[in-house]
């Protein structure tokens, strides 16, 4: 594993060169102090890299980011991911003083889809300390687990889960189809943008249009054009649902996704503090050696800090 953990550092050196690296990270190009430039959540990093511009990570989900990161984030490196959708096929290991953060306007702008070998625990702590993770959404139908062994301090902020993924997101227009499957169905859905009928038949039969749309289907299908994010869809009985021509499970389109945080203190004690994303609830506990605890929250984690020696895990709960 040691060779993989140093690959990111060698890749930076080859691509940027010593002078370019200083400019890219802002370490020597300005009068700004290094500590101030490269500090996040009171953790100071040696250098910062842009995952797309500096490492070549693909923000369109076409090519997995595994090769770009070399399977690991080097000690002392803060890796920033701009807005986009990133595919992860091989688990990525975090070391000491490492950062893995999205830098979109919101966590929904930076999305990771774990698949293959990364489908279980895709972002791994390996005796990780003084590190920060967050600012992104985990999509897809896997557990999307983040965790491993913590030795010291780890901060997780703004990590959310969305089972439906990118198919229903974004400001560009999308097409939603709800098709009759033998039983009359009442439906209701909500978007963050706006909704219009997609054809004359739908315009004549659907009850209401707008951010919240309701209708009743006794045969055929209703088609809608919408912008923004489809945040919720409720059906009175089974119906075929497709977004942009791709069939989806209506049950995955809800905003809510239960997420479980698990912590187990190993040989020494550990303390955690957790704030849920959508609920004004906080959880905190000090675990003595041998103790463990589990907390379920809706959608994701706004802030989580872990101090001490522990085995931890954050994952979608099924």
């Amino acid at each position: 594993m040691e060779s993989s953990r140093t690959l990111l550092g060698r890749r930076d050196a080859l691509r940027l060169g010593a002078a370019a690296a200083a400019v890219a990270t802002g370490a020597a190009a300005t009068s700004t102090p290094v500590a101030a430039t490269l500090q996040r959540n009171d953790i100071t990093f040696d250098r910062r890299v842009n995952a797309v511009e500096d490492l070549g990570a693909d923000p369109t989900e076409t090519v997995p980011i595994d090769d770009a990161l070399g399977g690991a984030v080097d000690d002392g490196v803060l890796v920033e991911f701009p807005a986009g959708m990133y595919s992860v096929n091989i688990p990525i290991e975090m070391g000491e003083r490492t950062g893995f953060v999205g830098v979109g306007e919101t966590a929904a702008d930076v999305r990771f889809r774990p698949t293959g070998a990364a489908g279980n625990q895709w972002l791994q702590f390996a005796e990780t300390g003084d590190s920060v993770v967050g600012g992104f959404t985990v999509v897809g139908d896997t557990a999307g687990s983040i965790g491993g062994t913590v030795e010291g301090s780890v901060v997780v902020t703004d990590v959310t889960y969305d089972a439906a993924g990118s198919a229903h997101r974004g400001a560009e227009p999308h097409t939603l189809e709800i098709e009759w499957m033998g039983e009359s169905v009442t439906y209701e859905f909500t978007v963050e943008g706006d909704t219009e009928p997609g054809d004359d038949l739908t315009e004549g039969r659907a009850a209401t249009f707008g951010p919240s749309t309701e209708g009743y289907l006794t045969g055929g299908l209703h088609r809608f054009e919408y912008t923004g994010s489809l945040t919720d869809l409720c059906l009175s009985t089974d119906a075929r649902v497709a977004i942009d021509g791709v069939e989806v499970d209506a049950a995955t389109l809800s905003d809510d996704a239960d997420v479980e945080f698990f912590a187990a203190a190993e040989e020494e004690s550990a303390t955690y503090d957790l704030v849920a994303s959508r609920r004004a609830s906080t959880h905190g506990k000090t675990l003595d050696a041998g103790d463990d605890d589990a907390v379920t929250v809706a959608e994701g984690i706004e802030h989580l800090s872990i101090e001490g020696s522990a085995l931890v895990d954050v994952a979608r709960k099924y």
Side-chain angles (χ1 to χ4, degrees):
M1 183 60 72
E2 183 62 27
S3 61
S4 68
R5 291 182 60 184
T6 58
L7 182 56
L8 187 150
R10 292 199 302 269
R11 191 181 301 276
D12 280 349
L14 290 173
R15 291 191 181 198
L16 302 178
V23 173
T25 60
T30 70
S31 59
T32 304
V34 173
T37 302
L38 298 182
Q39 192 171 69
R40 255 181 196 268
N41 295 92
D42 297 324
I43 299 168
T44 302
F45 300 93
D46 297 333
R47 66 186 190 280
R48 173 175 54 208
V49 296
N50 183 298
V52 175
E53 296 178 1
D54 299 332
L55 303 181
D58 178 13
T60 69
E61 198 185 2
T62 304
V63 179
I65 65 173
D66 313 328
D67 287 344
L69 268 70
V73 178
D74 253 5
D75 292 351
V77 176
L78 170 65
V79 182
E80 296 181 336
F81 290 83
M85 172 72 86
Y86 301 90
S87 174
V88 186
N89 281 356
I90 299 174
I92 298 166
E93 182 178 307
M94 304 279 292
E96 282 284 327
R97 285 193 307 113
T98 49
F100 189 99
V101 299
V103 289
E105 291 186 8
T106 69
D109 294 330
V110 182
R111 302 180 295 277
F112 292 92
R113 186 188 300 277
T115 60
N120 185 19
Q121 193 172 83
W122 67 280
L123 192 59
Q124 298 182 341
F125 301 147
E127 297 185 353
T128 298
D130 293 333
S131 298
V132 60
V133 170
F136 56 77
T137 298
V138 184
V139 305
D141 56 3
T142 67
S145 170
I146 300 168
T149 55
V150 170
E151 291 290 342
S153 173
V154 170
V155 176
V156 179
T157 59
D158 292 329
V159 173
T160 61
Y161 284 79
D162 180 357
S166 62
H168 65 296
R169 298 293 182 185
E172 68 276 7
H174 296 283
T175 299
L176 169 66
E177 294 179 342
I178 304 173
E179 185 174 7
W180 180 75
M181 292 178 59
E183 295 185 44
S184 298
V185 56
T186 300
Y187 61 82
E188 180 179 0
F189 65 88
T190 304
V191 302
E192 291 180 354
D194 205 357
T195 305
E196 295 181 355
D199 52 37
D200 292 339
L201 180 62
T202 303
E203 184 174 16
R205 291 186 177 179
T208 61
F209 299 100
S212 292
T213 300
E214 300 177 6
Y216 183 71
L217 191 61
T218 58
L221 64 83
H222 286 174
R223 180 179 292 110
F224 303 90
E225 301 293 331
Y226 72 89
T227 57
S229 300
L230 176 61
T231 59
D232 194 39
L233 172 63
C234 297
L235 305 172
S236 62
T237 189
D238 288 340
R240 175 185 172 273
V241 178
I243 298 176
D244 298 337
V246 179
E247 189 168 348
V248 298
D249 181 358
T252 68
L253 297 179
S254 170
D255 263 351
D256 290 336
D258 282 346
V259 177
E260 183 176 78
F261 166 69
F262 172 81
E266 298 189 302
E267 297 180 359
E268 301 176 9
S269 65
T271 301
Y272 76 83
D273 288 290
L274 183 154
V275 180
S277 292
R278 295 189 60 204
R279 298 176 182 173
S281 60
T282 61
H283 307 270
K285 184 176 288 188
T286 296
L287 303 175
D288 294 328
D291 290 346
D292 60 60
D293 195 27
V295 177
T296 298
V297 298
E299 187 176 348
I301 290 174
E302 179 179 311
H303 183 86
L304 167 66
S305 61
I306 308 157
E307 300 279 349
S309 175
L311 177 68
V312 302
D313 191 69
V314 177
R316 189 192 320 278
K317 184 178 181 181
Y318 290 95

